[in-house]
Amino acid sequence: MISEIRRILWQIINLKDTTDVRGTIDSIRKNSAIKGYNVWILACGAMLASIGIDTNSAPVIIGAMLISPLMSPILGIGLSVGINDRKHLFIALENFLIAVIATLAVSSLYFSISPLGQVNPQITTRIEPTILDVLIALFGGIAGIVAVSRKEITNAIPGVAIATALMPPLCVAGYGIAKGSWFYFAGAFYLFFINSVFIALATYIICRFLGFPLTEFIDDQARRKAVRWIAAFVFLIIIPSGYFMYTFLQRNNQREAINRYITEVVEVGEHKVTKQEYTPGDSLNTLLLVLAGKYMSGDSVAWLESQLPAYDITDTRLRVIQGIGEEEVSQTALNIYKEIQPQMSFLRKRYDSLEVQIREMRQGPSLENQLSQ
């Protein structure tokens, strides 16, 4: 019974029977060359991705990812390492470098002359990659090499191209170059780099799993040493993404805590938060809330601030700006009128008195006659 279950499971997950080893190697080597028409397609893809990023247009960016040949030299790198082919490894690395330089050149040129060039979500979401981006690249790479290695044609490659998203972060790195921002360049290029590394790693793993023949013989000791070097390199690459993941989770938990605080404490009465802004500081953070509704006294604001630690919002001061509705506007205007009415009455009386005196002076003898008498 158990052996039958194993046999059925193996039939379901077996890849080797439908693998075209020779065809896969030839196809990857052929498509990884960035020259001729591939250079034109790459440049057009980089320009489309840059325009899509600049205009915050997701459909344009997706189109750029679909036509971009950036993934091919990365598959070539993983394949060459997997079959121990040093000659084609250097060729794949050269093509990869050409593709990176060409994309950075096109994108940085575009953002240098673009009349827009403003920071938008398409840029900010690609400068702090996390472990999740590592997993996307790894499983996307596995899907990519599995699809490429099939004897039959599959439709997985377009989906892999979109999921791994190689072109957009490289174009954001070009944005960083154009704007002279090391922060944007480093963050976006790191995302592109980890995508590239883990796609190549996935290709290497699948090639070894499927038993692709080695081009050059390698003994067990050298193979174990190479595996250790690869593992160490991958670990070093992951470390920054782990830090970004930690900070991302912290910010997410903080947003959730602030939202719970607003819902359960601030908006319980006759108040509505129309705007919130959390600003980190060197020693003390600031939570700004803009309130609409009934006016809140200073004691009430102090009580709201005292409730912050209960929601793990520590080392934070509360700043409240109170807005008013239409009814409050009318009442406030009435109160102001009542306050200035006595002064207005006094000024009116003084004006009437001065007007009477001026009229009497005009009706009496002239100043010249008065002086001559």
Side-chain angles (χ1 to χ4, degrees), residues 13-43:
I13 65 173
N14 182 28
L15 291 174
K16 295 184 178 181
D17 291 345
T18 56
T19 299
D20 182 7
V21 175
R22 190 69 257 169
T24 300
I25 296 174
D26 292 340
S27 175
I28 292 177
R29 285 176 177 174
K30 178 182 177 182
N31 294 326
S32 63
I34 303 298
K35 60 181 180 180
Y37 76 95
N38 263 352
V39 175
W40 288 90
I41 294 176
L42 180 70

Side-chain angles (χ1 to χ4, degrees), residues 349-367:
K349 290 178 180 179
R350 287 291 298 165
Y351 172 81
D352 292 339
S353 176
L354 290 172
E355 197 173 37
V356 170
Q357 293 179 23
I358 292 172
R359 191 183 307 114
E360 291 176 352
M361 290 177 63
R362 287 177 175 175
Q363 294 175 354
S366 65
L367 179 61

Side-chain angles (χ1 to χ4, degrees), residues 32-34 39 42 69-70 72-74 77 89-105 170 189 192-193 196:
S32 63
I34 303 298
V39 175
L42 180 70
L70 261 176
S72 298
I74 299 173
I77 293 171
L89 173 61
F90 287 113
I91 295 175
L93 287 170
E94 179 183 353
N95 288 320
F96 176 71
L97 186 61
I98 292 172
V100 170
I101 294 175
T103 302
L104 287 176
L170 197 54
F189 192 81
F192 168 75
F193 188 65
S196 303

Side-chain angles (χ1 to χ4, degrees), residues 125-327:
T125 56
R126 292 183 169 91
I127 57 176
E128 291 186 353
T130 67
I131 293 292
L132 299 179
D133 295 291
V134 172
L135 296 177
I136 290 171
L138 180 62
F139 289 104
I142 291 174
I145 184 60
V146 168
V148 169
S149 64
R150 298 305 88 202
K151 293 177 182 179
E152 65 279 2
I153 298 175
T154 70
N155 59 357
I157 292 299
V160 172
I162 296 173
T164 52
L166 290 165
M167 182 64 80
L170 197 54
C171 290
V172 173
Y175 170 87
I177 294 175
K179 301 301 179 181
S181 172
W182 167 252
F183 176 73
Y184 285 110
F185 171 79
F189 192 81
Y190 174 60
L191 174 57
F192 168 75
F193 188 65
I194 62 174
N195 282 348
S196 303
V197 168
F198 281 90
I199 291 172
L201 177 64
T203 305
Y204 165 79
I205 292 172
I206 296 300
C207 286
R208 297 313 322 133
F209 174 75
L210 295 177
F212 278 40
L214 298 177
T215 302
E216 300 177 22
F217 176 76
I218 180 172
D219 58 56
D220 289 341
Q221 183 178 357
R223 181 181 58 80
R224 286 193 294 269
K225 184 178 180 180
V227 170
R228 286 195 296 268
W229 276 106
I230 292 174
F233 178 71
V234 168
F235 177 74
L236 291 175
I237 293 298
I238 289 178
I239 290 176
S241 67
Y243 170 76
F244 287 134
M245 185 69 180
Y246 173 74
T247 57
F248 170 78
L249 291 176
Q250 277 193 319
R251 289 196 299 267
N252 186 63
N253 292 337
Q254 189 177 71
R255 283 194 297 268
E256 290 182 355
I258 291 174
N259 289 335
R260 284 192 296 108
Y261 166 77
I262 291 173
T263 302
E264 298 175 8
V265 177
V266 181
E267 295 185 336
V268 171
E270 301 176 3
H271 304 95
K272 181 70 177 178
V273 175
T274 59
K275 180 181 178 181
Q276 65 182 72
E277 185 176 301
Y278 186 83
T279 306
D282 294 334
S283 58
L284 193 63
N285 308 316
T286 301
L287 175 60
L288 170 67
L289 299 179
V290 178
L291 299 184
K294 187 176 180 181
Y295 183 82
M296 184 177 292
S297 66
D299 291 339
S300 298
V301 173
W303 181 82
L304 288 180
E305 188 171 34
S306 69
Q307 299 302 305
L308 289 173
Y311 289 83
D312 293 328
I313 309 173
T314 56
D315 299 326
T316 300
R317 63 181 177 184
L318 180 65
R319 183 184 170 200
V320 174
I321 298 177
Q322 301 193 55
I324 54 178
E326 294 181 0
E327 295 180 1

Side-chain angles (χ1 to χ4, degrees), residues 48-49 52 57-68 158 161-162 168:
L48 282 175
S57 174
V60 176
I61 296 174
I62 292 173
M65 289 187 286
L66 287 173
I67 68 173
S68 168
I162 296 173

